[in-house]
Amino acid sequence: MDKSNKATVQKYEEQLNGLQSELDKLKSSYEKLQRHHIRHARESSKETEEDSLFETSKLNGKLEKFRAKAKEWEKQRAVYQTELTSLESHRRILADKCELFQQTCLNYQSQLSNRVELQEEAEQQRQCEVRELRSELETAQKTLLSNEVTIDQLRNDVQELTSRRREQAEETQRLLQDLRQSHTQRQKVEEELSELRQELHTRDDLQKAADLEEKKLRREGAKLRERLTKQMSAIR
Protein backbone atom coordinates (compact mmCIF):
# COMPACT_ATOMS: atom_id res chain seq x y z
CA MET A 1 0.00 0.00 0.00
CA ASP A 2 2.86 2.38 0.82
CA LYS A 3 4.54 1.71 -2.55
CA SER A 4 1.21 2.22 -4.36
CA ASN A 5 0.63 5.54 -2.59
CA LYS A 6 4.13 6.75 -3.43
CA ALA A 7 3.62 5.80 -7.08
CA THR A 8 0.30 7.64 -7.13
CA VAL A 9 1.84 10.76 -5.61
CA GLN A 10 4.75 10.63 -8.06
CA LYS A 11 2.34 10.26 -11.01
CA TYR A 12 0.26 13.12 -9.65
CA GLU A 13 3.35 15.36 -9.41
CA GLU A 14 4.36 14.45 -12.97
CA GLN A 15 0.89 15.43 -14.20
CA LEU A 16 1.13 18.75 -12.35
CA ASN A 17 4.51 19.39 -13.94
CA GLY A 18 3.03 18.54 -17.35
CA LEU A 19 0.13 20.93 -16.80
CA GLN A 20 2.57 23.65 -15.74
CA SER A 21 4.64 23.01 -18.85
CA GLU A 22 1.54 23.20 -21.07
CA LEU A 23 0.56 26.46 -19.40
CA ASP A 24 4.03 27.89 -20.05
CA LYS A 25 3.75 26.84 -23.70
CA LEU A 26 0.36 28.53 -23.97
CA LYS A 27 1.81 31.70 -22.51
CA SER A 28 4.74 31.56 -24.93
CA SER A 29 2.39 31.00 -27.87
CA TYR A 30 0.26 33.91 -26.77
CA GLU A 31 3.30 36.17 -26.57
CA LYS A 32 4.41 35.02 -30.03
CA LEU A 33 0.94 35.74 -31.39
CA GLN A 34 0.98 39.19 -29.86
CA ARG A 35 4.40 39.97 -31.33
CA HIS A 36 3.24 38.61 -34.69
CA HIS A 37 0.21 40.82 -34.57
CA ILE A 38 2.29 43.94 -33.86
CA ARG A 39 4.93 43.10 -36.46
CA HIS A 40 2.44 42.44 -39.23
CA ALA A 41 -0.15 45.06 -38.31
CA ARG A 42 0.58 47.04 -41.45
CA GLU A 43 0.38 44.10 -43.87
CA SER A 44 -2.69 43.22 -45.84
CA SER A 45 -5.79 42.50 -43.79
CA LYS A 46 -6.46 39.18 -45.50
CA GLU A 47 -3.02 37.71 -44.86
CA THR A 48 -3.02 38.98 -41.27
CA GLU A 49 -6.45 37.52 -40.63
CA GLU A 50 -5.44 34.09 -41.98
CA ASP A 51 -2.27 33.93 -39.84
CA SER A 52 -4.10 35.12 -36.75
CA LEU A 53 -6.85 32.58 -37.25
CA PHE A 54 -4.24 29.83 -37.64
CA GLU A 55 -2.47 30.85 -34.42
CA THR A 56 -5.81 31.17 -32.62
CA SER A 57 -6.88 27.71 -33.79
CA LYS A 58 -3.58 26.31 -32.62
CA LEU A 59 -3.96 27.93 -29.22
CA ASN A 60 -7.54 26.69 -28.93
CA GLY A 61 -6.35 23.15 -29.63
CA LYS A 62 -3.75 23.42 -26.89
CA LEU A 63 -6.36 24.86 -24.55
CA GLU A 64 -8.64 21.87 -25.21
CA LYS A 65 -5.75 19.51 -24.44
CA PHE A 66 -5.14 21.43 -21.24
CA ARG A 67 -8.80 21.04 -20.25
CA ALA A 68 -8.71 17.29 -21.00
CA LYS A 69 -5.62 16.88 -18.84
CA ALA A 70 -7.26 18.92 -16.09
CA LYS A 71 -10.24 16.51 -16.11
CA GLU A 72 -7.88 13.54 -15.98
CA TRP A 73 -6.06 15.13 -13.05
CA GLU A 74 -9.42 15.62 -11.28
CA LYS A 75 -10.12 11.90 -11.63
CA GLN A 76 -6.69 11.07 -10.21
CA ARG A 77 -7.37 13.39 -7.28
CA ALA A 78 -10.62 11.52 -6.56
CA VAL A 79 -8.73 8.21 -6.60
CA TYR A 80 -6.15 9.67 -4.25
CA GLN A 81 -8.90 10.85 -1.88
CA THR A 82 -10.36 7.33 -1.88
CA GLU A 83 -6.96 5.93 -0.91
CA LEU A 84 -6.74 8.43 1.95
CA THR A 85 -10.14 7.24 3.17
CA SER A 86 -8.89 3.63 3.04
CA LEU A 87 -5.82 4.57 5.10
CA GLU A 88 -8.05 6.28 7.68
CA SER A 89 -10.16 3.10 7.92
CA HIS A 90 -6.99 1.03 8.39
CA ARG A 91 -5.89 3.40 11.17
CA ARG A 92 -9.20 2.93 12.97
CA ILE A 93 -8.86 -0.86 12.75
CA LEU A 94 -5.39 -0.63 14.30
CA ALA A 95 -6.77 1.58 17.08
CA ASP A 96 -9.44 -1.04 17.82
CA LYS A 97 -6.77 -3.74 17.96
CA CYS A 98 -4.73 -1.59 20.34
CA GLU A 99 -7.72 -1.25 22.68
CA LEU A 100 -8.23 -5.02 22.52
CA PHE A 101 -4.58 -5.61 23.45
CA GLN A 102 -4.90 -3.16 26.33
CA GLN A 103 -7.94 -5.00 27.63
CA THR A 104 -6.05 -8.28 27.32
CA CYS A 105 -3.17 -6.80 29.32
CA LEU A 106 -5.56 -5.71 32.05
CA ASN A 107 -7.03 -9.22 32.16
CA TYR A 108 -3.56 -10.75 32.47
CA GLN A 109 -2.68 -8.32 35.25
CA SER A 110 -5.87 -9.20 37.10
CA GLN A 111 -5.15 -12.92 36.75
CA LEU A 112 -1.61 -12.38 37.92
CA SER A 113 -2.82 -10.47 40.99
CA ASN A 114 -5.22 -13.29 41.79
CA ARG A 115 -2.43 -15.84 41.38
CA VAL A 116 -0.17 -13.87 43.68
CA GLU A 117 -2.87 -13.63 46.33
CA LEU A 118 -3.56 -17.36 46.05
CA GLN A 119 0.16 -18.05 46.30
CA GLU A 120 0.45 -15.91 49.43
CA GLU A 121 -2.54 -17.61 50.98
CA ALA A 122 -1.12 -21.02 50.07
CA GLU A 123 2.25 -19.99 51.53
CA GLN A 124 0.62 -18.95 54.81
CA GLN A 125 -1.41 -22.11 54.85
CA ARG A 126 1.70 -24.16 54.14
CA GLN A 127 3.61 -22.44 56.95
CA CYS A 128 0.77 -23.13 59.35
CA GLU A 129 0.63 -26.72 58.20
CA VAL A 130 4.41 -27.03 58.54
CA ARG A 131 4.24 -25.64 62.05
CA GLU A 132 1.44 -28.03 62.90
CA LEU A 133 3.37 -30.90 61.37
CA ARG A 134 6.49 -29.99 63.31
CA SER A 135 4.47 -29.83 66.51
CA GLU A 136 2.91 -33.17 65.74
CA LEU A 137 6.31 -34.56 64.81
CA GLU A 138 7.83 -33.41 68.08
CA THR A 139 4.91 -34.87 69.99
CA ALA A 140 5.19 -38.11 68.05
CA GLN A 141 8.95 -38.26 68.64
CA LYS A 142 8.42 -37.81 72.34
CA THR A 143 5.51 -40.20 72.61
CA LEU A 144 5.89 -42.60 69.71
CA LEU A 145 9.52 -42.85 68.66
CA SER A 146 8.86 -46.21 67.06
CA ASN A 147 5.91 -45.07 64.91
CA GLU A 148 7.71 -44.78 61.52
CA VAL A 149 4.52 -44.99 59.52
CA THR A 150 3.24 -41.72 60.96
CA ILE A 151 6.56 -40.05 60.26
CA ASP A 152 6.51 -41.19 56.61
CA GLN A 153 2.99 -39.87 56.20
CA LEU A 154 4.02 -36.50 57.53
CA ARG A 155 6.99 -36.40 55.15
CA ASN A 156 4.72 -37.20 52.24
CA ASP A 157 2.42 -34.33 53.22
CA VAL A 158 5.39 -31.95 53.31
CA GLN A 159 6.56 -33.09 49.88
CA GLU A 160 3.08 -32.64 48.45
CA LEU A 161 2.89 -29.10 49.79
CA THR A 162 6.33 -28.37 48.33
CA SER A 163 5.23 -29.75 44.96
CA ARG A 164 2.14 -27.55 45.00
CA ARG A 165 4.24 -24.51 45.73
CA ARG A 166 6.56 -25.35 42.85
CA GLU A 167 3.59 -25.71 40.45
CA GLN A 168 2.19 -22.37 41.57
CA ALA A 169 5.59 -20.73 40.99
CA GLU A 170 5.74 -22.18 37.46
CA GLU A 171 2.22 -20.92 36.73
CA THR A 172 3.22 -17.46 37.93
CA GLN A 173 6.27 -17.46 35.63
CA ARG A 174 4.09 -18.45 32.68
CA LEU A 175 1.67 -15.59 33.35
CA LEU A 176 4.58 -13.13 33.60
CA GLN A 177 5.89 -14.33 30.24
CA ASP A 178 2.43 -13.88 28.66
CA LEU A 179 2.26 -10.37 30.10
CA ARG A 180 5.65 -9.45 28.61
CA GLN A 181 4.55 -10.73 25.19
CA SER A 182 1.36 -8.70 25.44
CA HIS A 183 3.37 -5.55 26.26
CA THR A 184 5.61 -6.21 23.24
CA GLN A 185 2.61 -6.56 20.91
CA ARG A 186 1.11 -3.37 22.31
CA GLN A 187 4.33 -1.45 21.61
CA LYS A 188 4.37 -2.74 18.01
CA VAL A 189 0.78 -1.61 17.46
CA GLU A 190 1.56 1.83 18.92
CA GLU A 191 4.55 2.15 16.55
CA GLU A 192 2.33 1.25 13.58
CA LEU A 193 -0.20 3.85 14.69
CA SER A 194 2.54 6.49 14.94
CA GLU A 195 3.80 5.68 11.44
CA LEU A 196 0.26 5.80 10.07
CA ARG A 197 -0.40 9.20 11.66
CA GLN A 198 2.80 10.55 10.12
CA GLU A 199 1.82 9.12 6.71
CA LEU A 200 -1.63 10.71 6.93
CA HIS A 201 -0.08 14.03 7.90
CA THR A 202 2.21 13.84 4.85
CA ARG A 203 -0.75 12.98 2.59
CA ASP A 204 -2.72 15.95 3.95
CA ASP A 205 0.20 18.29 3.21
CA LEU A 206 0.45 16.93 -0.34
CA GLN A 207 -3.32 17.32 -0.79
CA LYS A 208 -3.20 20.94 0.36
CA ALA A 209 -0.26 21.72 -1.92
CA ALA A 210 -2.06 20.09 -4.84
CA ASP A 211 -5.21 22.12 -4.18
CA LEU A 212 -3.22 25.35 -4.10
CA GLU A 213 -1.46 24.43 -7.36
CA GLU A 214 -4.80 23.57 -8.96
CA LYS A 215 -6.28 26.95 -7.98
CA LYS A 216 -3.23 28.71 -9.33
CA LEU A 217 -3.44 26.84 -12.67
CA ARG A 218 -7.17 27.53 -12.95
CA ARG A 219 -6.62 31.28 -12.37
CA GLU A 220 -3.85 31.36 -14.96
CA GLY A 221 -6.02 29.41 -17.42
CA ALA A 222 -8.88 31.87 -16.88
CA LYS A 223 -6.56 34.81 -17.48
CA LEU A 224 -5.25 33.16 -20.64
CA ARG A 225 -8.77 32.51 -21.95
CA GLU A 226 -9.66 36.14 -21.24
CA ARG A 227 -6.61 37.29 -23.19
CA LEU A 228 -7.44 34.97 -26.09
CA THR A 229 -11.01 36.34 -26.16
CA LYS A 230 -9.76 39.88 -26.27
CA GLN A 231 -7.23 38.99 -28.98
CA MET A 232 -9.90 37.29 -31.08
CA SER A 233 -12.16 40.32 -30.64
CA ALA A 234 -9.32 42.58 -31.77
CA ILE A 235 -8.68 40.33 -34.79
CA ARG A 236 -12.36 40.41 -35.76
Side-chain angles (χ1 to χ4, degrees), residues 198-215:
Q198 185 177 1
E199 183 69 17
L200 287 174
H201 182 69
T202 303
R203 295 294 185 273
D204 290 338
D205 292 340
L206 289 174
Q207 182 67 31
K208 291 178 181 178
D211 292 338
L212 291 175
E213 186 67 20
E214 179 189 2
K215 291 179 180 179

mmCIF file of all heavy atoms in Angstrom, residues 198-215:
data_model
loop_
_atom_site.group_PDB
_atom_site.id
_atom_site.type_symbol
_atom_site.label_atom_id
_atom_site.label_comp_id
_atom_site.label_asym_id
_atom_site.label_seq_id
_atom_site.Cartn_x
_atom_site.Cartn_y
_atom_site.Cartn_z
ATOM 1 N N GLN A 198 1.836 9.746 10.883
ATOM 2 C CA GLN A 198 2.804 10.545 10.124
ATOM 3 C C GLN A 198 2.521 10.485 8.635
ATOM 4 O O GLN A 198 2.605 11.491 7.917
ATOM 5 C CB GLN A 198 4.218 10.020 10.417
ATOM 6 C CG GLN A 198 5.327 10.855 9.764
ATOM 7 C CD GLN A 198 6.694 10.347 10.139
ATOM 8 O OE1 GLN A 198 6.821 9.370 10.870
ATOM 9 N NE2 GLN A 198 7.721 11.000 9.644
ATOM 10 N N GLU A 199 2.139 9.276 8.141
ATOM 11 C CA GLU A 199 1.823 9.119 6.712
ATOM 12 C C GLU A 199 0.595 9.936 6.338
ATOM 13 O O GLU A 199 0.549 10.593 5.291
ATOM 14 C CB GLU A 199 1.573 7.632 6.422
ATOM 15 C CG GLU A 199 1.305 7.324 4.960
ATOM 16 C CD GLU A 199 2.524 7.518 4.102
ATOM 17 O OE1 GLU A 199 3.655 7.574 4.631
ATOM 18 O OE2 GLU A 199 2.349 7.630 2.875
ATOM 19 N N LEU A 200 -0.417 9.934 7.206
ATOM 20 C CA LEU A 200 -1.625 10.708 6.934
ATOM 21 C C LEU A 200 -1.332 12.199 6.939
ATOM 22 O O LEU A 200 -1.878 12.953 6.128
ATOM 23 C CB LEU A 200 -2.692 10.383 7.991
ATOM 24 C CG LEU A 200 -3.361 9.004 7.854
ATOM 25 C CD1 LEU A 200 -4.271 8.749 9.038
ATOM 26 C CD2 LEU A 200 -4.115 8.880 6.560
ATOM 27 N N HIS A 201 -0.447 12.621 7.867
ATOM 28 C CA HIS A 201 -0.083 14.035 7.900
ATOM 29 C C HIS A 201 0.613 14.444 6.603
ATOM 30 O O HIS A 201 0.353 15.509 6.036
ATOM 31 C CB HIS A 201 0.830 14.277 9.100
ATOM 32 C CG HIS A 201 1.227 15.726 9.263
ATOM 33 N ND1 HIS A 201 0.318 16.703 9.640
ATOM 34 C CD2 HIS A 201 2.421 16.358 9.082
ATOM 35 C CE1 HIS A 201 0.948 17.860 9.687
ATOM 36 N NE2 HIS A 201 2.214 17.685 9.348
ATOM 37 N N THR A 202 1.511 13.564 6.109
ATOM 38 C CA THR A 202 2.210 13.840 4.848
ATOM 39 C C THR A 202 1.219 13.912 3.686
ATOM 40 O O THR A 202 1.296 14.787 2.818
ATOM 41 C CB THR A 202 3.252 12.746 4.582
ATOM 42 O OG1 THR A 202 4.152 12.685 5.690
ATOM 43 C CG2 THR A 202 4.042 13.060 3.319
ATOM 44 N N ARG A 203 0.249 12.972 3.664
ATOM 45 C CA ARG A 203 -0.749 12.976 2.593
ATOM 46 C C ARG A 203 -1.604 14.255 2.625
ATOM 47 O O ARG A 203 -1.947 14.822 1.586
ATOM 48 C CB ARG A 203 -1.681 11.753 2.729
ATOM 49 C CG ARG A 203 -0.958 10.422 2.534
ATOM 50 C CD ARG A 203 -0.456 10.266 1.102
ATOM 51 N NE ARG A 203 0.126 8.960 0.865
ATOM 52 C CZ ARG A 203 1.352 8.634 1.090
ATOM 53 N NH1 ARG A 203 2.197 9.550 1.567
ATOM 54 N NH2 ARG A 203 1.794 7.405 0.840
ATOM 55 N N ASP A 204 -1.930 14.707 3.849
ATOM 56 C CA ASP A 204 -2.719 15.946 3.955
ATOM 57 C C ASP A 204 -1.945 17.133 3.411
ATOM 58 O O ASP A 204 -2.503 18.002 2.713
ATOM 59 C CB ASP A 204 -3.093 16.187 5.421
ATOM 60 C CG ASP A 204 -4.119 15.176 5.911
ATOM 61 O OD1 ASP A 204 -4.828 14.601 5.066
ATOM 62 O OD2 ASP A 204 -4.193 14.968 7.127
ATOM 63 N N ASP A 205 -0.626 17.183 3.737
ATOM 64 C CA ASP A 205 0.201 18.285 3.213
ATOM 65 C C ASP A 205 0.250 18.260 1.696
ATOM 66 O O ASP A 205 0.139 19.301 1.025
ATOM 67 C CB ASP A 205 1.618 18.187 3.791
ATOM 68 C CG ASP A 205 1.632 18.465 5.289
ATOM 69 O OD1 ASP A 205 0.680 19.083 5.789
ATOM 70 O OD2 ASP A 205 2.602 18.082 5.934
ATOM 71 N N LEU A 206 0.410 17.045 1.118
ATOM 72 C CA LEU A 206 0.447 16.930 -0.341
ATOM 73 C C LEU A 206 -0.899 17.342 -0.953
ATOM 74 O O LEU A 206 -0.954 17.987 -2.000
ATOM 75 C CB LEU A 206 0.775 15.482 -0.738
ATOM 76 C CG LEU A 206 2.216 15.025 -0.469
ATOM 77 C CD1 LEU A 206 2.354 13.546 -0.778
ATOM 78 C CD2 LEU A 206 3.208 15.836 -1.292
ATOM 79 N N GLN A 207 -1.989 16.970 -0.291
ATOM 80 C CA GLN A 207 -3.316 17.323 -0.792
ATOM 81 C C GLN A 207 -3.507 18.833 -0.801
ATOM 82 O O GLN A 207 -4.040 19.415 -1.751
ATOM 83 C CB GLN A 207 -4.384 16.647 0.081
ATOM 84 C CG GLN A 207 -5.803 16.917 -0.384
ATOM 85 C CD GLN A 207 -6.090 16.273 -1.722
ATOM 86 O OE1 GLN A 207 -5.533 15.246 -2.025
ATOM 87 N NE2 GLN A 207 -6.926 16.892 -2.532
ATOM 88 N N LYS A 208 -3.060 19.489 0.296
ATOM 89 C CA LYS A 208 -3.200 20.942 0.360
ATOM 90 C C LYS A 208 -2.362 21.627 -0.723
ATOM 91 O O LYS A 208 -2.806 22.575 -1.372
ATOM 92 C CB LYS A 208 -2.769 21.423 1.741
ATOM 93 C CG LYS A 208 -3.732 21.012 2.841
ATOM 94 C CD LYS A 208 -3.235 21.475 4.213
ATOM 95 C CE LYS A 208 -4.182 21.041 5.319
ATOM 96 N NZ LYS A 208 -3.687 21.448 6.647
ATOM 97 N N ALA A 209 -1.110 21.142 -0.896
ATOM 98 C CA ALA A 209 -0.256 21.722 -1.921
ATOM 99 C C ALA A 209 -0.855 21.536 -3.314
ATOM 100 O O ALA A 209 -0.818 22.426 -4.158
ATOM 101 C CB ALA A 209 1.135 21.101 -1.866
ATOM 102 N N ALA A 210 -1.447 20.345 -3.533
ATOM 103 C CA ALA A 210 -2.065 20.087 -4.835
ATOM 104 C C ALA A 210 -3.260 20.989 -5.074
ATOM 105 O O ALA A 210 -3.470 21.500 -6.175
ATOM 106 C CB ALA A 210 -2.482 18.625 -4.920
ATOM 107 N N ASP A 211 -4.060 21.228 -4.024
ATOM 108 C CA ASP A 211 -5.212 22.115 -4.175
ATOM 109 C C ASP A 211 -4.775 23.543 -4.498
ATOM 110 O O ASP A 211 -5.376 24.216 -5.355
ATOM 111 C CB ASP A 211 -6.047 22.098 -2.892
ATOM 112 C CG ASP A 211 -6.730 20.761 -2.679
ATOM 113 O OD1 ASP A 211 -6.901 20.036 -3.686
ATOM 114 O OD2 ASP A 211 -7.081 20.438 -1.544
ATOM 115 N N LEU A 212 -3.724 23.998 -3.818
ATOM 116 C CA LEU A 212 -3.218 25.348 -4.103
ATOM 117 C C LEU A 212 -2.717 25.460 -5.540
ATOM 118 O O LEU A 212 -2.959 26.452 -6.238
ATOM 119 C CB LEU A 212 -2.094 25.687 -3.122
ATOM 120 C CG LEU A 212 -2.519 25.887 -1.655
ATOM 121 C CD1 LEU A 212 -1.290 26.093 -0.779
ATOM 122 C CD2 LEU A 212 -3.475 27.062 -1.513
ATOM 123 N N GLU A 213 -1.983 24.411 -5.989
ATOM 124 C CA GLU A 213 -1.461 24.433 -7.362
ATOM 125 C C GLU A 213 -2.606 24.415 -8.370
ATOM 126 O O GLU A 213 -2.555 25.070 -9.405
ATOM 127 C CB GLU A 213 -0.558 23.203 -7.554
ATOM 128 C CG GLU A 213 0.175 23.181 -8.894
ATOM 129 C CD GLU A 213 1.199 24.305 -8.980
ATOM 130 O OE1 GLU A 213 1.617 24.843 -7.934
ATOM 131 O OE2 GLU A 213 1.586 24.653 -10.104
ATOM 132 N N GLU A 214 -3.664 23.636 -8.046
ATOM 133 C CA GLU A 214 -4.803 23.570 -8.959
ATOM 134 C C GLU A 214 -5.474 24.933 -9.074
ATOM 135 O O GLU A 214 -5.820 25.391 -10.174
ATOM 136 C CB GLU A 214 -5.814 22.549 -8.444
ATOM 137 C CG GLU A 214 -7.054 22.437 -9.342
ATOM 138 C CD GLU A 214 -8.115 21.588 -8.698
ATOM 139 O OE1 GLU A 214 -7.902 21.142 -7.575
ATOM 140 O OE2 GLU A 214 -9.145 21.378 -9.351
ATOM 141 N N LYS A 215 -5.669 25.622 -7.930
ATOM 142 C CA LYS A 215 -6.285 26.947 -7.976
ATOM 143 C C LYS A 215 -5.445 27.922 -8.796
ATOM 144 O O LYS A 215 -5.960 28.732 -9.567
ATOM 145 C CB LYS A 215 -6.464 27.461 -6.539
ATOM 146 C CG LYS A 215 -7.514 26.696 -5.760
ATOM 147 C CD LYS A 215 -7.632 27.231 -4.344
ATOM 148 C CE LYS A 215 -8.681 26.463 -3.542
ATOM 149 N NZ LYS A 215 -8.774 26.959 -2.157
#
